[in-house]
Amino acid sequence: MNINNPTADQDTHFFGDVCKNFDHAAQFTKHDAGLLDQIKSCNSVYRFRFPIRKGNGFEVIDAWRVEHSHHQSPTKGGIRYSEMVNEDEVMALAALMTYKCAIVNVPFGGAKGGIKINPKNYTVGELENITRRYTVELIKKNFIGPSIDVPAPDYGSGEREMSWIADTYATMNPGQLDALGAVTGKPISLHGIAGRREATGRGVAIAIRECVSVAEDMQKLGLTTGLSGKKVIVQGLGNVGYYSAKFLSEFGALIVGLCEFEGAIYNEDGLDVEAVFQHRKATGSILGYAGAKKEFKNTMDGLEQPCDILVPAALENQITIQNIGSIKAKIIAEGANGPTSPEAEAAFYKAGGMIIPDMYANAGGVTVSYFEWLKNLSHVAFGRINRRFEENSNLNLVNMVEGITGVALTPLQRSTIIKGASELELVNSGLEDTMIRSYHEIREIYKNNPKVETLRNAAMVGAINKIAVSYQNLGVWP
Ligand code: NAD
């Protein structure tokens, strides 16, 4: 692969698509070509292979870690466990992480990791061996550390894998005070943070809620404002998809379709997300759920059913020029990374649709990962030091107001006003603030530049400008 000119390469596809988006958005900026090239290129691509014991023999595992940009340190990005992983994909995902962090003002460079396995083919013990060995390989090359590169979960990995990484890193770096900041997405018991598990899906739901709150944009789409009663189809019932669906229904939307790899279900009156999730857990399939009015063996048919909003939250390249004409939604909100091809996006906008792009829509995960990293470096849970102080101050204020006015509040009113914020409340508030501010930052660029045709271009323009400033301030040395 030609790392410096990926768009010229036939076998690059996903990274090529990300670079095409970059090149397109770069036209609307004023930076010099060399600087743009520095921003776009992947700085470090580490491909490695290592053996594990399997049965009576060995098996060799292919793996990657890509650090796309060092304009901020550390770099940050999840580790994907999938037999579909390849170098092009890891590079694309690392690049998206760079732009994503810039968009939501998280001070990290972008990175991504990949382990080419289907986790279902390995025992828990084997997965632990693979994860620990992968971590050791990263340590050997200085590709992990709280100030170097900080992994997180992605497709096929979760809290369990992050615990193994944290333990391996801490064991190999005895006495390093900030060792647990070398990885995020850890369980709370291992100094993870409240709200991280659901952060990406919550962020997706907030992004959609913000998008549909703008009357001018909804009018153009022929939709009313607000989430109440909006029909939504979600693809993927994993971490991102499940929580996106859960919070969207909590915000008043109607989840009418759910798609998993074994098939899809639909009910125009709404599906009970939790009941579907439990049904799949019990039976191993989304199909056969009693509350569905329609079932599709081919999961892709599920994406084409009537709805207002489609949330692809499984994998990349799900919406292409082949199926975009059949998508009924007016808004596509990209929970997954890279689910829509550039050609499909152009066709969708031409037909009057709107796409909330991945690099913004799914940035809730990295935002809360940033909070977790801060917690790990400060070695104290958010709210622990100030909560009681806040409660006492609020109590004094309530007593004073009651004394002056002679009006006594109800016990419920008193406790609501007095209560100090928990870690979860602080995290959710920081996440909500980030998602809302970032949406309007992107939309401003979109509205103020008639040549910027999509929210993705606008998000990319904003990201390029921020990263360019960082590189310019850093200078070049030696
Ligand atoms: P996950 O492994 O928890 O869930 C993915 C789900 O998609 C699984 O339930 C899987 O069965 C389903 N799936 C796979 N192929 C499918 C298909 N063809 N049709 C329908 N469903 C299919 O993974 P995740 O963490 O939810 O990640 C999903 C996407 O979101 C990925 O693109 C990932 O890069 C992106 N993402 C994840 C996070 C995070 O915090 N986990 C953050 C940002 C972006």
Side-chain angles (χ1 to χ4, degrees):
M1 173 185 303
N2 180 348
I3 289 176
N4 292 323
N5 190 9
T7 34
D9 222 319
Q10 282 301 310
D11 72 337
T12 61
H13 164 53
F14 189 9
F15 187 50
D17 284 352
V18 176
C19 289
K20 263 191 221 164
N21 283 325
F22 180 96
D23 290 339
H24 186 71
Q27 299 172 68
F28 308 116
T29 69
K30 294 192 175 106
H31 307 295
D32 107 8
L35 177 57
L36 289 170
D37 204 26
Q38 169 59 34
I39 297 173
K40 180 169 78 168
S41 310
C42 278
N43 286 357
S44 316
V45 180
Y46 178 29
R47 185 199 167 175
F48 49 106
R49 310 186 86 203
F50 56 85
I52 58 144
R53 289 188 194 281
K54 179 102 176 134
N56 293 326
F58 295 104
E59 187 184 319
V60 178
I61 307 287
D62 285 292
W64 290 265
R65 185 74 187 169
V66 172
E67 292 174 359
H68 172 258
S69 176
H70 297 101
H71 70 289
Q72 302 268 12
S73 290
T75 52
K76 182 112 191 58
I79 304 173
R80 183 168 282 202
Y81 287 50
S82 161
E83 54 196 345
M84 313 291 280
V85 161
N86 58 55
E87 193 159 309
D88 172 69
E89 181 182 70
V90 185
M91 287 171 69
L93 293 166
L96 280 174
M97 282 304 295
T98 294
Y99 308 131
K100 191 178 299 187
C101 290
I103 287 163
V104 291
N105 298 312
V106 163
F108 294 142
K112 204 79 182 187
I115 304 180
K116 196 175 181 63
I117 54 162
N118 179 348
K120 292 192 182 120
N121 296 340
Y122 297 86
T123 63
V124 173
E126 288 164 349
L127 284 172
E128 181 171 352
N129 290 343
I130 291 169
T131 306
R132 288 184 183 276
R133 179 64 189 253
Y134 177 86
T135 311
V136 169
E137 295 295 331
L138 296 186
I139 294 170
K140 274 159 57 181
K141 294 280 183 188
N142 221 14
F143 263 77
I144 185 172
S147 59
I148 299 169
D149 186 357
V150 182
D154 191 67
Y155 185 91
S157 61
E159 288 175 14
R160 180 183 65 178
E161 288 73 17
M162 300 308 113
S163 299
W164 292 331
I165 293 172
D167 182 59
T168 309
Y169 184 84
T171 305
M172 299 292 287
N173 291 278
Q176 193 186 107
L177 194 60
D178 295 331
L180 290 177
V183 59
T184 60
K186 304 178 294 291
I188 305 271
S189 58
L190 208 66
H191 304 268
I193 195 163
R196 171 60 184 91
R197 190 183 298 162
E198 58 270 37
T200 308
R202 184 185 279 277
V204 170
I206 296 170
I208 297 171
R209 191 183 66 190
E210 210 47 35
C211 170
V212 302
S213 73
V214 182
E216 184 191 344
D217 296 349
M218 291 309 102
Q219 237 164 23
K220 280 193 191 146
L221 294 174
L223 295 175
T224 54
T225 51
L227 260 182
S228 181
K230 289 266 178 326
K231 297 190 170 179
V232 182
I233 294 177
V234 178
Q235 182 196 35
L237 210 49
N239 177 285
V240 181
Y242 167 70
Y243 284 110
S244 299
K246 175 180 154 61
F247 292 117
L248 281 166
S249 14
E250 281 182 24
F251 294 167
L254 213 55
I255 307 299
V256 293
L258 289 167
C259 317
E260 255 295 339
F261 72 86
E262 67 274 9
I265 55 174
Y266 185 83
N267 183 343
E268 70 273 13
D269 298 325
L271 296 160
D272 179 338
V273 176
E274 193 51 41
V276 176
F277 186 76
Q278 292 307 331
H279 169 82
R280 185 166 193 256
K281 216 168 157 186
T283 66
S285 172
I286 202 171
L287 302 173
Y289 171 66
K293 286 192 182 165
K294 287 184 190 164
E295 277 198 358
F296 307 93
K297 290 251 158 61
N298 178 0
T299 180
M300 296 308 274
D301 291 342
L303 305 185
E304 301 175 3
Q305 300 311 305
C307 67
D308 302 310
I309 300 163
L310 174 62
V311 184
L315 279 177
E316 60 263 25
N317 211 29
Q318 298 299 296
I319 302 164
T320 63
I321 202 68
Q322 270 74 43
N323 63 354
I324 190 72
S326 311
I327 302 288
K328 313 277 188 311
K330 297 273 177 60
I331 298 171
I332 296 174
E334 297 181 331
N337 284 311
T340 319
S341 74
E343 297 74 21
E345 175 165 48
F348 193 62
Y349 268 88
K350 206 169 167 194
M354 189 170 177
I355 298 183
I356 311 176
D358 48 8
M359 14 178 196
Y360 158 68
N362 66 32
V366 74
T367 302
V368 175
S369 273
Y370 169 46
F371 300 158
E372 179 177 337
W373 180 76
L374 291 174
K375 174 180 176 176
N376 294 153
L377 299 192
S378 60
H379 301 270
V380 64
F382 290 104
R384 175 160 180 189
I385 291 178
N386 48 336
R387 185 173 173 165
R388 180 67 56 175
F389 179 82
E390 260 177 43
E391 290 184 350
N392 286 337
S393 304
N394 293 344
L395 179 63
N396 288 340
L397 202 65
V398 166
N399 287 341
M400 203 191 301
V401 170
E402 282 185 336
I404 292 169
T405 62
V407 177
L409 297 175
T410 65
L412 183 64
Q413 285 169 328
R414 278 180 72 88
S415 61
T416 309
I417 295 171
I418 290 166
K419 189 181 150 320
S422 67
E423 179 171 87
L424 181 63
E425 286 163 331
L426 289 168
V427 164
N428 286 344
S429 143
L431 171 62
E432 186 172 9
D433 186 58
T434 301
M435 296 308 294
I436 292 175
R437 277 172 193 274
S438 305
Y439 185 76
H440 293 286
E441 234 181 64
I442 296 167
R443 190 177 171 276
E444 280 296 294
I445 298 174
Y446 180 52
K447 284 282 124 189
N448 295 335
N449 297 276
K451 286 188 181 158
V452 173
E453 310 96 329
T454 64
L455 284 175
R456 189 185 320 275
N457 290 340
M460 188 66 103
V461 168
I464 292 173
N465 285 334
K466 290 178 194 173
I467 300 164
V469 169
S470 295
Y471 270 126
Q472 277 161 339
N473 289 341
L474 284 173
V476 179
W477 184 82

